[in-house]
Amino acid sequence: MALRTLVSSGKTLGRFSRFQQQIRGLQTFTLPDLAYDYGALEPVISGEIMQLHHQKHHQTYITNYNKALEQLDDAIAKGDASTAVKLQSAIKFNGGGHVNHSIFWKNLAPTSEGGGEAPHGSLGWAIDQHFGSMEKLIAKMNAEGAAVQGSGWVWLAVDKELKRLVVETTANQDPLVTKGATLVPLLGIDVWEHAYYLQYKNVRPDYLKNIWKVINWKYASQVYEKECP
Ligand SMILES: [Fe+2]
């Protein structure tokens, strides 16, 4: 009997209850609002890029993620293991795209709202301890971000078990968790061409050099302090 049938019949046992809830309320995802206007990050990131990036690129990941989840739900209901496995790459790519961009928008802020202001408090101290200085961290992330082949992301993360900062990169739309279950992203920089090509003419290092002027360190600090109180 398919799990869906079990669920709808109400005959599930306690051990199924959590899964039952997930099946009943198949989650669909929607585009999160930005906390600032599209043009608010200019001149660092143009309003045109922000609008396209948010409304077209991020929305497409969400649309395809929802579609893949619905197909997965159908495959499970039908007991179609082959299709369920086949859908994993679409779920990873599009779900990762949604997860990554949702973090990215929070990592940015207009200069009038503190964008680019270096972190004070425990995160600023930890950056100095782990990397030597903010300038050294920026140089490291810029170098690793520029070296990502094709499309991907460069991250500043905290390992919540080891309580230490790390810089990582991920390919395509792989979320940071694929590099380690204990890694929590503080700051993710999108190095896909769609993030900068209209304005920086595909010169990724120029985009990386400038983006620090609108980085929302307040958000990164809040996440860090939650993980390392
Ligand atoms: Fe992107």
Side-chain angles (χ1 to χ4, degrees):
M1 186 184 290
L3 182 56
R4 178 180 274 173
T5 312
L6 272 171
V7 169
S8 60
S9 70
K11 290 178 184 172
T12 48
L13 299 173
R15 65 196 173 93
F16 285 126
S17 60
R18 197 165 163 205
F19 195 28
Q20 172 186 356
Q21 215 169 23
Q22 290 169 347
I23 292 288
R24 276 185 175 165
L26 179 63
Q27 180 80 47
T28 56
F29 296 91
T30 54
L31 189 65
D33 289 334
L34 301 189
Y36 39 81
D37 293 337
Y38 289 128
L41 305 180
E42 291 185 350
V44 177
I45 304 177
S46 73
E48 185 184 16
I49 286 182
M50 288 300 294
Q51 186 168 5
L52 274 171
H53 201 171
H54 182 246
Q55 289 185 348
K56 302 293 181 189
H57 294 286
H58 189 172
Q59 180 61 60
T60 299
Y61 295 121
I62 291 170
T63 301
N64 290 334
Y65 186 32
N66 286 335
K67 190 173 149 193
L69 289 176
E70 284 169 20
Q71 289 172 339
L72 178 64
D73 188 44
D74 284 345
I76 292 171
K78 291 172 184 165
D80 183 350
S82 174
T83 298
V85 171
K86 192 175 152 192
L87 285 164
Q88 296 309 306
S89 64
I91 290 170
K92 184 181 180 189
F93 181 77
N94 293 294
H98 174 46
V99 168
N100 293 343
H101 286 86
S102 298
I103 297 167
F104 183 58
W105 309 133
K106 292 178 188 171
N107 285 146
L108 303 172
T111 52
S112 60
E113 293 171 26
E117 280 179 25
H120 303 293
S122 60
L123 178 57
W125 183 84
I127 287 171
D128 286 345
Q129 285 293 111
H130 288 282
F131 302 105
S133 67
M134 174 60 79
E135 290 70 29
K136 286 181 179 171
L137 168 65
I138 289 174
K140 181 176 175 61
M141 288 187 68
N142 285 358
E144 296 199 19
V148 170
Q149 292 186 347
S151 302
W153 293 75
V154 58
W155 303 92
L156 173 65
V158 60
D159 185 316
K160 64 184 179 183
E161 294 291 321
L162 300 176
K163 307 290 184 195
R164 61 172 290 124
L165 296 174
V166 291
V167 170
E168 270 288 359
T169 59
T170 54
N172 303 312
Q173 290 298 357
D174 290 358
L176 184 62
V177 71
T178 59
K179 286 292 181 86
T182 59
L183 296 181
V184 178
L186 303 179
L187 167 61
I189 299 178
D190 188 344
V191 296
W192 279 61
E193 282 184 0
H194 69 219
Y196 58 89
Y197 69 104
L198 283 176
Q199 188 174 358
Y200 290 93
K201 311 299 178 198
N202 281 356
V203 183
R204 190 188 289 175
D206 288 352
Y207 157 73
L208 286 169
K209 184 180 161 194
N210 278 332
I211 200 168
W212 298 99
K213 296 171 187 168
V214 290
I215 290 297
N216 183 0
W217 284 108
K218 202 179 291 180
Y219 170 77
S221 292
Q222 285 168 356
V223 178
Y224 180 75
E225 284 163 19
K226 187 179 161 205
E227 297 299 336
C228 299

